[in-house]
Amino acid sequence: MHTDDADTVHYRLRRQSRTPAWLALSWRALVALALIGIALAVHWFDREGLRQNSGEPVTFADILYFTMITVTTVGYGDIVPVTQQARMFDTFVVTPIRLFVWLIFLGTAYDFLLKGVWEKWRMSVIQQHLEGHVVVAGFGTSGSEAVSELIRRGADPGTIVVVDERAAALRTAESCGTTVMEGNATRNAALEAARLSQARALIVSAGRDDTSILIVLTARRIAPDLPISVVIRSEDNEAIARQAGADVVINPASFAGLLLAGSTHGAHTAEYMADLAASGGRVVLREREVAAEEVGKSLADITTGLGHRIYRGHQNFCFWEPEADRLEAGDIIVEVVPRR
């Protein structure tokens, strides 16, 4: 764990390569061997077109030596092509093979020697220009489910930044395609390195209520207007999390209890609630600002979906309340719309 809040240079983003290193190396080795094999086979079948300066017969060992020297260099002149056919083959086939093999070697050297340096530089540039991303502090059960749900809903995994101290959790997050950063999210330096002030939202799921609340406090200090959602395990800590600055406080046990209690009043109630929450459901809750042409109308008159509630400043009004009979500029509408 890093302890120096003033120094953000230790906090680096990381993203998993789409192609495993062993697979890339294997493919390149196979291609290089195949190209060399072609040159070797043609040289062997056309060995009458080759001659040694010593005058001795050309053996398979000589062909192997000549092929490797010709592919990797321009040759030493001890074995030379003497027929037109052999010379044309070396000119129009072996020379391109030599170039391709060198390109493969150079590409492999780049991938396994220089790419690490390049990748660090590239990620540092990405880190400096992060904007509109979602930061997930803690990649436990709830955090991983949140990331999976974001991806299922169409979010680009590269725009999700996972901050965690556990190497195993970061490896799992990387396998999802997300950008990860090893660090303690309770510290200013870690959240600043994740460019929290430029983020679209913060999801906090640290596993412990005290840690999650401390992350919320730290984040709210860095980004006063950032939407923050936090997972809280104990009902007693929900009010504290809101006081710390969380916009949305989610208690998994309470939500499960709501579904279970709803199921006792009818099987379809719990099913519909799960339908609203899941990415694979037929309907979805959507939050949007009231459109200009909707100002003055009733919440029941909107045509984009089924309006359930409006948020006006720090107050909220449901569809049956008088305030919902006239929409005002700046109102936030929560509606149910079909899943597209």
Side-chain angles (χ1 to χ4, degrees):
M1 183 176 68
H2 303 291
T3 58
D4 186 6
D5 283 350
D7 185 12
T8 62
V9 72
H10 297 296
Y11 297 104
R12 294 295 186 191
L13 297 182
R14 199 169 78 228
R15 190 180 296 166
Q16 189 179 52
S17 172
R18 298 180 184 273
T19 305
W22 66 267
L23 182 60
L25 181 61
S26 300
W27 273 112
R28 291 175 186 184
L30 287 173
V31 171
L33 289 174
L35 292 174
I36 294 173
I38 291 172
L40 178 64
V42 175
H43 281 148
W44 172 249
F45 288 115
D46 191 35
R47 55 187 178 277
E48 297 299 329
L50 301 177
R51 179 176 300 169
Q52 294 199 73
N53 290 337
S54 64
E56 298 178 1
V58 177
T59 64
F60 180 77
D62 296 326
I63 295 294
L64 180 60
Y65 160 77
F66 175 71
T67 299
M68 295 303 298
I69 292 300
T70 307
V71 167
T72 55
T73 68
V74 294
Y76 295 142
D78 49 350
I79 301 177
V80 294
V82 293
T83 64
Q84 288 292 100
Q85 180 176 327
R87 289 172 177 172
M88 290 301 99
F89 176 75
D90 281 353
T91 300
F92 294 109
V93 178
V94 176
T95 298
I97 287 177
R98 180 189 306 122
L99 295 176
F100 277 120
V101 169
W102 272 109
L103 287 175
I104 290 171
F105 286 156
L106 290 174
T108 303
Y110 161 74
D111 274 348
F112 294 94
L113 297 178
L114 302 178
K115 191 175 181 180
V117 177
W118 164 261
E119 197 64 18
K120 286 182 180 179
W121 177 83
R122 188 177 74 90
M123 294 309 294
S124 67
V125 171
I126 291 175
Q127 187 169 357
Q128 292 171 9
H129 296 88
L130 272 178
E131 189 173 354
H133 54 294
V134 177
V135 178
V136 179
F139 198 74
T141 302
S142 298
S144 61
E145 284 297 324
V147 168
S148 298
E149 185 67 19
L150 284 171
I151 294 173
R152 283 195 293 266
R153 295 190 180 200
D156 179 3
T159 63
I160 302 172
V161 178
V162 175
V163 182
D164 205 303
E165 291 185 289
R166 299 166 299 162
L170 293 178
R171 284 195 297 269
T172 304
E174 271 190 298
S175 67
C176 299
T178 64
T179 304
V180 302
M181 188 181 74
E182 183 179 358
N184 183 353
T186 64
R187 298 188 176 276
N188 291 347
L191 295 182
E192 287 171 354
R195 300 274 293 179
L196 189 69
S197 59
Q198 304 298 321
R200 177 167 61 89
L202 169 65
I203 296 174
V204 181
S205 177
R208 288 172 52 101
D209 287 358
D210 53 352
T211 305
S212 294
I213 291 171
L214 183 54
I215 293 173
V216 172
L217 283 168
T218 306
R220 187 52 74 203
R221 177 184 173 188
I222 296 172
D225 301 321
L226 179 71
I228 299 177
S229 302
V230 60
V231 175
I232 295 295
R233 309 289 177 181
S234 173
E235 186 176 352
D236 295 338
N237 293 328
E238 292 182 20
I240 301 174
R242 289 190 177 89
Q243 291 174 1
D247 298 287
V248 179
V249 178
I250 298 172
N251 189 322
S254 296
F255 185 71
L258 289 174
L259 292 179
L260 290 171
S263 67
T264 64
H265 295 282
H268 303 302
T269 303
E271 180 186 357
Y272 184 64
M273 292 175 67
D275 197 2
L276 286 172
S279 62
R282 296 174 58 193
V283 292
V284 62
L285 278 172
R286 183 175 68 177
E287 183 176 320
R288 65 175 178 86
E289 189 171 346
V290 65
E293 62 272 13
E294 295 172 330
V295 173
K297 294 182 179 180
S298 169
L299 181 61
D301 294 333
I302 65 173
T303 58
T304 55
L306 184 62
H308 277 203
R309 182 176 290 184
I310 62 172
Y311 286 83
R312 185 173 295 156
H314 296 291
Q315 296 179 299
N316 65 83
F317 307 102
C318 294
F319 61 89
W320 67 83
E321 296 184 87
E323 289 81 0
D325 292 336
R326 181 178 176 81
L327 296 172
E328 298 179 3
D331 284 351
I332 301 296
I333 297 175
V334 177
E335 59 184 348
V336 177
V337 297
R339 174 76 62 184
R340 301 188 186 280

